[in-house]
Each structure stands twice: as C-alpha cells, then as structure tokens.
Coordinates of all heavy atoms in Angstrom, one line a residue:
M1 N 0.8 -1.2 0.0 CA 0.0 0.0 0.1 C 0.9 1.3 0.0 O 0.6 2.3 -0.7 CB -0.9 0.0 1.2 CG -1.8 1.1 1.3 SD -3.1 1.1 2.6 CE -2.1 0.8 4.1
Q2 N 1.9 1.3 0.8 CA 2.7 2.4 0.9 C 3.3 2.8 -0.4 O 3.5 3.9 -0.8 CB 3.8 2.3 1.9 CG 3.2 2.3 3.3 CD 4.3 2.0 4.4 OE1 5.4 1.5 4.1 NE2 3.9 2.3 5.6
E3 N 3.7 1.8 -1.3 CA 4.3 2.0 -2.6 C 3.2 2.7 -3.4 O 3.6 3.6 -4.2 CB 4.6 0.7 -3.3 CG 5.1 0.7 -4.6 CD 5.3 -0.6 -5.3 OE1 5.5 -1.6 -4.6 OE2 5.4 -0.6 -6.5
M4 N 2.0 2.4 -3.3 CA 0.9 3.0 -4.2 C 0.7 4.4 -3.8 O 0.5 5.3 -4.7 CB -0.4 2.3 -3.9 CG -0.4 0.8 -4.5 SD -1.9 0.0 -3.9 CE -1.2 -1.7 -3.8
W5 N 1.0 4.9 -2.6 CA 1.0 6.3 -2.3 C 2.0 7.1 -3.0 O 1.8 8.3 -3.2 CB 1.2 6.5 -0.7 CG 0.1 6.0 0.1 CD1 -1.2 5.7 -0.2 CD2 0.3 5.4 1.5 NE1 -1.9 5.2 0.8 CE2 -1.0 5.0 1.9 CE3 1.3 5.4 2.4 CZ2 -1.2 4.6 3.2 CZ3 1.1 4.9 3.6 CH2 -0.1 4.4 4.0
T6 N 3.0 6.6 -3.5 CA 4.1 7.3 -4.2 C 3.8 7.2 -5.7 O 4.7 7.8 -6.5 CB 5.5 6.7 -3.9 OG1 5.6 5.4 -4.3 CG2 5.7 6.7 -2.4
W7 N 2.9 6.5 -6.2 CA 2.7 6.3 -7.7 C 2.4 7.7 -8.3 O 1.6 8.5 -7.7 CB 1.6 5.3 -8.0 CG 2.0 3.9 -7.8 CD1 3.2 3.5 -7.3 CD2 1.2 2.8 -8.0 NE1 3.2 2.1 -7.3 CE2 1.9 1.7 -7.6 CE3 -0.1 2.6 -8.3 CZ2 1.4 0.3 -7.7 CZ3 -0.6 1.3 -8.5 CH2 0.1 0.2 -8.1
D8 N 2.9 8.0 -9.5 CA 2.4 9.2 -10.2 C 1.1 8.9 -10.8 O 0.5 7.9 -10.8 CB 3.5 9.6 -11.2 CG 3.7 8.6 -12.4 OD1 2.8 7.7 -12.6 OD2 4.8 8.6 -12.9
F9 N 0.5 10.0 -11.3 CA -0.9 9.9 -11.8 C -1.1 9.0 -13.1 O -2.0 8.3 -13.3 CB -1.3 11.3 -12.3 CG -1.6 12.3 -11.1 CD1 -1.5 13.7 -11.3 CD2 -2.0 11.7 -9.9 CE1 -1.7 14.5 -10.3 CE2 -2.2 12.6 -8.9 CZ -2.1 14.0 -9.0
E10 N 0.1 8.8 -13.9 CA 0.1 8.0 -15.0 C 0.0 6.5 -14.5 O -0.8 5.7 -15.2 CB 1.3 8.1 -15.9 CG 1.3 7.3 -17.1 CD 2.5 7.6 -18.1 OE1 3.1 8.7 -18.0 OE2 2.8 6.7 -18.8
K11 N 0.8 6.2 -13.5 CA 0.7 4.8 -13.1 C -0.7 4.6 -12.4 O -1.3 3.4 -12.6 CB 1.8 4.5 -12.1 CG 1.8 3.1 -11.6 CD 3.2 2.7 -11.1 CE 3.2 1.2 -10.9 NZ 4.5 0.7 -10.5
L12 N -1.3 5.5 -11.7 CA -2.6 5.2 -11.1 C -3.6 5.1 -12.2 O -4.6 4.3 -12.1 CB -3.0 6.5 -10.2 CG -2.2 6.6 -9.0 CD1 -2.5 8.0 -8.2 CD2 -2.5 5.4 -8.0
E13 N -3.4 5.8 -13.2 CA -4.4 5.7 -14.4 C -4.3 4.4 -15.1 O -5.3 3.8 -15.5 CB -4.1 6.8 -15.4 CG -5.0 6.8 -16.7 CD -6.5 7.2 -16.3 OE1 -6.7 8.0 -15.3 OE2 -7.4 6.6 -17.0
C14 N -3.1 3.8 -15.2 CA -2.9 2.6 -15.9 C -3.2 1.2 -15.1 O -3.6 0.4 -15.7 CB -1.4 2.5 -16.5 SG -1.1 3.8 -17.8
A15 N -3.0 1.4 -13.9 CA -3.3 0.2 -13.0 C -4.7 0.2 -12.6 O -5.3 1.3 -12.5 CB -2.4 0.3 -11.8
H16 N -5.3 -0.9 -12.5 CA -6.6 -1.1 -12.0 C -7.0 -2.0 -10.9 O -8.1 -2.3 -10.7 CB -7.6 -1.5 -13.3 CG -7.4 -0.5 -14.5 ND1 -8.1 0.6 -14.5 CD2 -6.6 -0.6 -15.6 CE1 -7.8 1.3 -15.6 NE2 -6.9 0.6 -16.3
D17 N -6.0 -2.4 -10.2 CA -6.1 -3.3 -9.1 C -5.8 -2.8 -7.8 O -5.7 -3.5 -6.8 CB -5.4 -4.7 -9.4 CG -3.9 -4.5 -9.6 OD1 -3.5 -3.4 -9.5 OD2 -3.3 -5.5 -9.7
Y18 N -5.4 -1.5 -7.7 CA -5.0 -1.0 -6.5 C -6.1 -0.5 -5.6 O -6.0 -0.3 -4.3 CB -3.9 0.1 -6.7 CG -4.5 1.3 -7.3 CD1 -5.1 2.4 -6.7 CD2 -4.4 1.4 -8.8 CE1 -5.5 3.5 -7.3 CE2 -4.9 2.5 -9.5 CZ -5.5 3.5 -8.7 OH -6.0 4.6 -9.4
I19 N -7.2 -0.1 -6.1 CA -8.3 0.5 -5.3 C -8.8 -0.5 -4.3 O -9.0 -0.1 -3.1 CB -9.5 0.8 -6.2 CG1 -9.2 2.0 -7.1 CG2 -10.7 1.2 -5.4 CD1 -9.0 3.3 -6.5
Q20 N -8.8 -1.8 -4.5 CA -9.2 -2.9 -3.6 C -8.2 -3.0 -2.5 O -8.5 -3.4 -1.4 CB -9.4 -4.2 -4.3 CG -10.5 -4.2 -5.2 CD -10.2 -3.6 -6.7 OE1 -9.1 -3.3 -6.9 NE2 -11.2 -3.6 -7.5
W21 N -6.9 -2.5 -2.7 CA -5.9 -2.6 -1.7 C -5.9 -1.4 -0.8 O -5.8 -1.4 0.4 CB -4.5 -2.8 -2.3 CG -4.2 -4.1 -2.7 CD1 -4.5 -4.7 -3.9 CD2 -3.8 -5.2 -1.9 NE1 -4.1 -6.0 -3.9 CE2 -3.6 -6.3 -2.7 CE3 -3.3 -5.3 -0.5 CZ2 -3.2 -7.6 -2.2 CZ3 -2.8 -6.5 -0.1 CH2 -2.8 -7.6 -0.9
L22 N -6.2 -0.2 -1.4 CA -6.4 1.0 -0.6 C -7.6 1.0 0.1 O -7.6 1.6 1.3 CB -6.3 2.2 -1.5 CG -5.0 2.5 -2.3 CD1 -5.1 3.7 -3.2 CD2 -3.8 2.6 -1.4
F23 N -8.6 0.5 -0.3 CA -10.0 0.5 0.2 C -10.7 -0.8 0.2 O -11.6 -1.1 -0.5 CB -10.9 1.6 -0.4 CG -10.3 2.9 -0.6 CD1 -9.8 3.3 -1.8 CD2 -10.2 3.8 0.5 CE1 -9.2 4.5 -2.0 CE2 -9.6 5.1 0.3 CZ -9.1 5.4 -0.8
P24 N -10.1 -1.8 1.1 CA -10.7 -3.1 1.1 C -12.1 -3.2 1.6 O -12.5 -2.3 2.2 CB -9.8 -3.8 2.0 CG -9.1 -2.8 2.9 CD -9.1 -1.6 2.1
L25 N -12.8 -4.2 1.1 CA -14.3 -4.4 1.4 C -14.4 -5.7 2.2 O -13.6 -6.5 2.2 CB -15.1 -4.4 0.1 CG -15.0 -3.2 -0.7 CD1 -15.7 -3.5 -2.1 CD2 -15.6 -2.0 0.0
P26 N -15.6 -5.9 2.8 CA -15.8 -7.0 3.6 C -16.2 -8.3 2.7 O -16.4 -9.4 3.1 CB -17.1 -6.7 4.4 CG -17.6 -5.6 3.9 CD -16.6 -4.9 3.1
E27 N -16.3 -8.1 1.3 CA -16.5 -9.1 0.4 C -15.4 -9.3 -0.6 O -14.7 -8.2 -0.9 CB -17.9 -9.0 -0.3 CG -18.0 -7.8 -1.1 CD -18.6 -6.6 -0.3 OE1 -19.1 -6.8 0.9 OE2 -18.6 -5.5 -0.8
R28 N -15.3 -10.4 -1.2 CA -14.2 -10.6 -2.2 C -14.4 -9.8 -3.4 O -15.6 -9.6 -3.9 CB -14.2 -12.1 -2.6 CG -13.1 -12.4 -3.4 CD -12.7 -13.9 -3.6 NE -12.4 -14.6 -2.3 CZ -11.3 -14.5 -1.6 NH1 -10.3 -13.7 -2.1 NH2 -11.1 -15.0 -0.5
S29 N -13.3 -9.2 -3.8 CA -13.4 -8.3 -5.0 C -13.6 -9.1 -6.3 O -13.0 -10.1 -6.5 CB -12.1 -7.6 -5.1 OG -12.0 -6.9 -6.4
A30 N -14.5 -8.6 -7.2 CA -14.8 -9.3 -8.5 C -13.7 -8.9 -9.4 O -13.6 -9.5 -10.5 CB -16.1 -8.7 -8.9
F31 N -12.9 -7.9 -9.1 CA -11.9 -7.4 -10.0 C -10.4 -7.8 -9.6 O -9.5 -7.8 -10.4 CB -11.9 -5.9 -10.1 CG -13.3 -5.5 -10.6 CD1 -14.2 -5.0 -9.7 CD2 -13.7 -5.6 -12.0 CE1 -15.5 -4.6 -10.0 CE2 -14.9 -5.2 -12.3 CZ -15.8 -4.7 -11.3
N32 N -10.2 -8.1 -8.3 CA -8.9 -8.4 -7.9 C -9.0 -9.5 -6.8 O -9.2 -9.2 -5.6 CB -8.2 -7.2 -7.3 CG -6.8 -7.4 -6.9 OD1 -6.3 -8.4 -6.8 ND2 -6.1 -6.3 -6.5
C33 N -8.7 -10.8 -7.2 CA -9.0 -11.8 -6.3 C -7.8 -11.9 -5.2 O -7.9 -12.6 -4.3 CB -9.0 -13.2 -7.1 SG -7.5 -13.5 -8.0
D34 N -6.7 -11.1 -5.3 CA -5.7 -11.1 -4.4 C -5.8 -10.0 -3.4 O -5.1 -9.9 -2.5 CB -4.3 -11.0 -5.1 CG -3.9 -12.1 -6.0 OD1 -4.3 -13.2 -5.6 OD2 -3.4 -11.8 -7.0
A35 N -6.8 -9.2 -3.5 CA -7.1 -8.1 -2.6 C -7.6 -8.5 -1.2 O -8.2 -9.6 -1.1 CB -8.2 -7.2 -3.2
P36 N -7.1 -7.9 -0.2 CA -7.5 -8.2 1.2 C -9.0 -8.0 1.4 O -9.7 -7.3 0.7 CB -6.7 -7.2 2.1 CG -6.4 -6.0 1.2 CD -6.4 -6.6 -0.2
I37 N -9.5 -8.8 2.4 CA -10.8 -8.8 2.7 C -11.1 -8.3 4.2 O -10.2 -8.7 5.0 CB -11.5 -10.1 2.6 CG1 -11.5 -10.6 1.2 CG2 -13.0 -10.2 3.1 CD1 -12.0 -12.1 1.0
V38 N -11.8 -7.3 4.4 CA -12.1 -6.8 5.9 C -13.0 -7.8 6.5 O -14.1 -8.1 6.1 CB -12.7 -5.4 5.7 CG1 -13.1 -4.9 7.1 CG2 -11.8 -4.5 5.0
D39 N -12.6 -8.2 7.6 CA -13.4 -9.0 8.5 C -13.5 -8.4 9.9 O -13.0 -7.3 10.1 CB -12.8 -10.5 8.7 CG -11.5 -10.5 9.2 OD1 -10.9 -9.5 9.8 OD2 -10.8 -11.6 9.2
E40 N -14.2 -9.0 10.8 CA -14.4 -8.4 12.2 C -13.1 -8.0 12.9 O -13.0 -7.0 13.5 CB -15.3 -9.4 13.0 CG -15.7 -8.7 14.3 CD -16.5 -7.3 14.0 OE1 -17.3 -7.4 13.2 OE2 -16.4 -6.5 14.8
E41 N -12.1 -8.9 12.7 CA -10.7 -8.6 13.3 C -10.2 -7.4 12.8 O -9.6 -6.6 13.5 CB -9.9 -9.9 13.1 CG -8.5 -9.7 13.8 CD -7.6 -11.0 13.5 OE1 -8.2 -12.1 13.1 OE2 -6.5 -10.9 13.8
V42 N -10.3 -7.2 11.5 CA -9.7 -6.1 10.8 C -10.4 -4.8 11.2 O -9.9 -3.8 11.6 CB -9.7 -6.2 9.3 CG1 -9.3 -4.9 8.5 CG2 -8.9 -7.3 8.9
I43 N -11.7 -4.9 11.4 CA -12.6 -3.8 11.8 C -12.3 -3.3 13.2 O -12.0 -2.2 13.4 CB -14.0 -4.0 11.7 CG1 -14.4 -4.2 10.2 CG2 -14.9 -3.1 12.4 CD1 -15.9 -4.8 9.9
Q44 N -12.0 -4.3 14.1 CA -11.7 -4.0 15.5 C -10.2 -3.3 15.5 O -10.0 -2.4 16.2 CB -11.8 -5.2 16.4 CG -13.2 -5.7 16.6 CD -13.3 -6.8 17.5 OE1 -12.3 -7.3 18.0 NE2 -14.5 -7.4 17.6
A45 N -9.4 -3.9 14.8 CA -8.0 -3.3 14.7 C -8.0 -1.9 14.1 O -7.4 -1.0 14.7 CB -7.1 -4.2 13.7
F46 N -8.9 -1.6 13.2 CA -9.1 -0.3 12.6 C -9.6 0.7 13.6 O -9.1 1.8 13.8 CB -9.9 -0.4 11.4 CG -10.1 0.9 10.6 CD1 -9.1 1.4 9.7 CD2 -11.3 1.7 10.7 CE1 -9.2 2.7 9.1 CE2 -11.3 3.0 10.2 CZ -10.3 3.4 9.4
Q47 N -10.5 0.2 14.4 CA -11.2 1.1 15.5 C -10.2 1.4 16.6 O -10.3 2.4 17.1 CB -12.5 0.4 15.9 CG -13.5 0.3 14.8 CD -14.8 -0.4 15.3 OE1 -14.7 -1.3 16.3 NE2 -15.9 -0.2 14.7
S48 N -9.3 0.5 16.9 CA -8.4 0.8 18.0 C -7.1 1.3 17.6 O -6.3 1.6 18.5 CB -8.3 -0.6 18.8 OG -7.6 -1.5 18.0
N49 N -6.8 1.3 16.3 CA -5.4 1.7 15.9 C -5.4 3.0 15.1 O -5.8 3.0 13.9 CB -4.8 0.5 15.1 CG -3.2 0.9 14.9 OD1 -2.9 2.0 14.7 ND2 -2.6 -0.3 14.7
P50 N -5.0 4.2 15.7 CA -5.1 5.3 15.0 C -4.2 5.4 13.7 O -4.4 6.1 12.7 CB -4.6 6.5 16.0 CG -4.0 5.8 17.1 CD -4.5 4.3 17.1
H51 N -3.0 4.6 13.7 CA -2.2 4.5 12.6 C -2.9 3.9 11.3 O -2.7 4.4 10.2 CB -0.9 3.7 12.9 CG 0.0 3.6 11.8 ND1 0.9 4.6 11.4 CD2 0.3 2.4 11.0 CE1 1.6 4.2 10.4 NE2 1.3 3.0 10.1
L52 N -3.8 2.9 11.6 CA -4.5 2.4 10.4 C -5.5 3.4 9.8 O -5.7 3.5 8.7 CB -5.3 1.1 10.9 CG -4.4 -0.1 11.3 CD1 -5.2 -1.2 11.9 CD2 -3.5 -0.5 10.2
R53 N -6.0 4.2 10.8 CA -7.0 5.3 10.3 C -6.3 6.2 9.6 O -6.8 6.8 8.5 CB -7.6 5.9 11.5 CG -8.8 4.8 12.1 CD -9.7 5.4 13.1 NE -9.2 6.1 14.2 CZ -8.7 5.5 15.2 NH1 -8.9 4.2 15.4 NH2 -8.2 6.2 16.3
Q54 N -5.0 6.6 10.0 CA -4.2 7.6 9.2 C -3.9 7.0 7.9 O -3.8 7.8 6.8 CB -2.9 7.9 10.0 CG -3.2 8.9 11.2 CD -3.7 10.2 10.7 OE1 -4.8 10.6 11.0 NE2 -3.0 11.0 9.9
N55 N -3.6 5.8 7.8 CA -3.3 5.2 6.5 C -4.6 5.2 5.5 O -4.3 5.7 4.3 CB -2.9 3.7 6.6 CG -1.6 3.5 7.1 OD1 -0.8 4.4 7.3 ND2 -1.3 2.3 7.6
L56 N -5.7 5.1 6.0 CA -6.9 5.2 5.2 C -7.1 6.6 4.7 O -7.3 6.9 3.5 CB -8.2 4.8 6.0 CG -9.4 4.9 5.2 CD1 -9.4 3.9 3.9 CD2 -10.7 4.6 6.1
L57 N -6.8 7.7 5.6 CA -6.9 9.0 5.2 C -5.9 9.4 4.2 O -6.2 10.1 3.2 CB -6.7 9.9 6.5 CG -6.9 11.4 6.3 CD1 -8.2 11.7 5.7 CD2 -6.6 12.1 7.6
R58 N -4.7 8.8 4.3 CA -3.7 9.1 3.3 C -4.0 8.5 1.9 O -3.9 9.1 0.9 CB -2.3 8.5 3.7 CG -1.1 8.8 2.8 CD 0.2 8.4 3.4 NE 1.2 8.9 2.5 CZ 2.4 8.7 2.6 NH1 2.9 8.0 3.7 NH2 3.4 9.0 1.7
S59 N -4.6 7.3 1.9 CA -5.1 6.7 0.7 C -6.2 7.5 0.1 O -6.2 7.8 -1.2 CB -5.6 5.3 0.9 OG -4.6 4.5 1.4
F60 N -7.1 8.1 0.9 CA -8.1 8.9 0.4 C -7.6 10.2 -0.2 O -8.0 10.6 -1.2 CB -9.1 9.3 1.6 CG -10.3 10.1 1.3 CD1 -11.2 9.7 0.4 CD2 -10.4 11.3 1.8 CE1 -12.4 10.4 0.1 CE2 -11.5 12.1 1.5 CZ -12.4 11.7 0.7
R61 N -6.6 10.8 0.4 CA -6.0 12.1 -0.1 C -5.2 11.8 -1.5 O -5.3 12.6 -2.4 CB -5.0 12.6 0.9 CG -5.7 13.2 2.1 CD -4.7 13.8 3.1 NE -5.4 14.5 4.0 CZ -5.0 14.5 5.4 NH1 -3.9 13.9 5.7 NH2 -5.8 15.2 6.3
V62 N -4.6 10.6 -1.5 CA -4.0 10.3 -2.8 C -5.0 10.3 -3.9 O -4.9 10.8 -5.1 CB -3.2 9.0 -2.8 CG1 -2.9 8.4 -4.1 CG2 -2.0 9.1 -1.9
M63 N -6.1 9.5 -3.6 CA -7.1 9.4 -4.7 C -7.9 10.8 -4.9 O -8.2 11.0 -6.1 CB -8.3 8.4 -4.2 CG -7.6 7.0 -4.2 SD -6.6 6.5 -5.6 CE -7.9 6.7 -7.0
L64 N -8.0 11.5 -4.0 CA -8.6 12.9 -4.1 C -7.7 13.8 -5.1 O -8.2 14.5 -6.0 CB -8.8 13.6 -2.9 CG -10.0 13.3 -2.1 CD1 -10.0 14.1 -0.8 CD2 -11.2 13.4 -2.8
Q65 N -6.4 13.7 -4.9 CA -5.5 14.4 -5.8 C -5.5 13.9 -7.2 O -5.5 14.7 -8.1 CB -4.1 14.4 -5.2 CG -3.8 15.1 -4.0 CD -2.4 14.9 -3.4 OE1 -1.8 13.9 -3.9 NE2 -2.2 15.7 -2.5
F66 N -5.6 12.5 -7.3 CA -5.6 11.8 -8.7 C -7.0 12.3 -9.4 O -6.9 12.7 -10.5 CB -5.7 10.3 -8.4 CG -5.8 9.6 -9.7 CD1 -5.0 9.7 -10.8 CD2 -7.0 8.9 -9.9 CE1 -5.2 8.9 -11.9 CE2 -7.2 8.1 -11.0 CZ -6.3 8.2 -12.1
Y67 N -8.1 12.3 -8.7 CA -9.4 12.6 -9.3 C -9.5 14.1 -9.5 O -10.2 14.5 -10.5 CB -10.5 12.1 -8.5 CG -10.7 10.6 -8.4 CD1 -10.9 10.0 -7.1 CD2 -10.5 9.8 -9.5 CE1 -11.0 8.6 -7.1 CE2 -10.7 8.5 -9.5 CZ -10.9 7.8 -8.2 OH -10.9 6.4 -8.2
D68 N -8.9 14.9 -8.7 CA -8.9 16.3 -8.8 C -8.4 16.9 -10.2 O -8.8 17.8 -10.8 CB -8.3 17.1 -7.7 CG -8.4 18.5 -7.8 OD1 -9.5 18.9 -7.9 OD2 -7.4 19.2 -7.7
R69 N -7.4 16.1 -10.7 CA -6.9 16.5 -12.0 C -8.0 16.4 -13.2 O -7.7 16.9 -14.3 CB -5.7 15.7 -12.4 CG -5.9 14.2 -12.7 CD -4.6 13.5 -12.8 NE -4.9 12.2 -13.4 CZ -4.5 11.9 -14.6 NH1 -3.7 12.6 -15.2 NH2 -5.0 10.8 -15.1
F70 N -9.0 15.6 -13.0 CA -10.1 15.6 -14.0 C -11.2 16.6 -13.9 O -12.0 16.7 -14.6 CB -10.8 14.2 -14.0 CG -9.8 13.0 -14.2 CD1 -9.4 12.2 -13.3 CD2 -9.3 12.9 -15.6 CE1 -8.5 11.2 -13.5 CE2 -8.5 11.8 -15.9 CZ -8.1 11.0 -14.8
M71 N -11.1 17.4 -12.8 CA -12.1 18.4 -12.5 C -11.8 19.7 -13.3 O -10.8 20.0 -13.6 CB -12.2 18.7 -11.0 CG -12.4 17.5 -10.2 SD -14.1 16.8 -10.5 CE -15.1 17.7 -9.5

C-alpha cells in the first residue's frame, strides 16, 4: 500500500487493481482476487489503531489528488 501512495498519476491511471488494496471491502473483489478482505478482526484493529485510520486517510488524499486533475 505504501508503494501505491508514491505512484504518479500515469501509473494510477494505468493500473486497475490497487483500489481494492487502498479501500478493502468485507466481500471478495470481483476485479482483484488477491485483494484483502475486511473481517471483524480487521474492523476492530481499525477502530483501535489510529495509525490504520491515518493510512486510510492518506489513501483517500492520494485518490482525491488523482481525481482532482479531472475536474
């Protein structure tokens, strides 16, 4: 995930399997079978660990910058 935070816009545009890594879901991805799945243990860790929440915020900011170039 940390590597993805450093990707330039071109790499973000060309790759299509990183979203599921930055923003995992509780169900298996139809687009990336290797993506992590959020379960109750992950949810509890996220709730109790501010570092994990900061990581999500960083991922969100990377995507906002990426999408902002289309506005």
Side-chain angles (χ1 to χ4, degrees):
M1 178 172 53
Q2 292 175 344
E3 177 187 339
M4 294 171 208
W5 292 333
T6 65
W7 289 358
D8 62 23
F9 291 150
E10 184 175 336
K11 186 158 187 172
L12 290 172
E13 180 68 30
C14 292
H16 297 281
D17 61 354
Y18 63 90
I19 292 291
Q20 294 85 4
W21 282 92
L22 294 179
F23 307 103
L25 299 172
E27 59 270 350
R28 185 161 305 283
S29 170
F31 304 99
N32 185 348
C33 62
D34 295 324
I37 299 173
V38 174
D39 59 14
E40 189 58 37
E41 183 179 345
V42 171
I43 292 169
Q44 288 180 8
F46 183 80
Q47 291 173 339
S48 65
N49 187 329
H51 182 71
L52 295 177
R53 293 191 301 275
Q54 283 299 115
N55 287 347
L56 180 64
L57 183 58
R58 185 168 182 184
S59 295
F60 182 64
R61 288 181 176 144
V62 166
M63 294 313 301
L64 283 179
Q65 290 174 350
F66 173 68
Y67 293 135
D68 186 50
R69 70 190 194 112
F70 296 109
M71 304 297 274

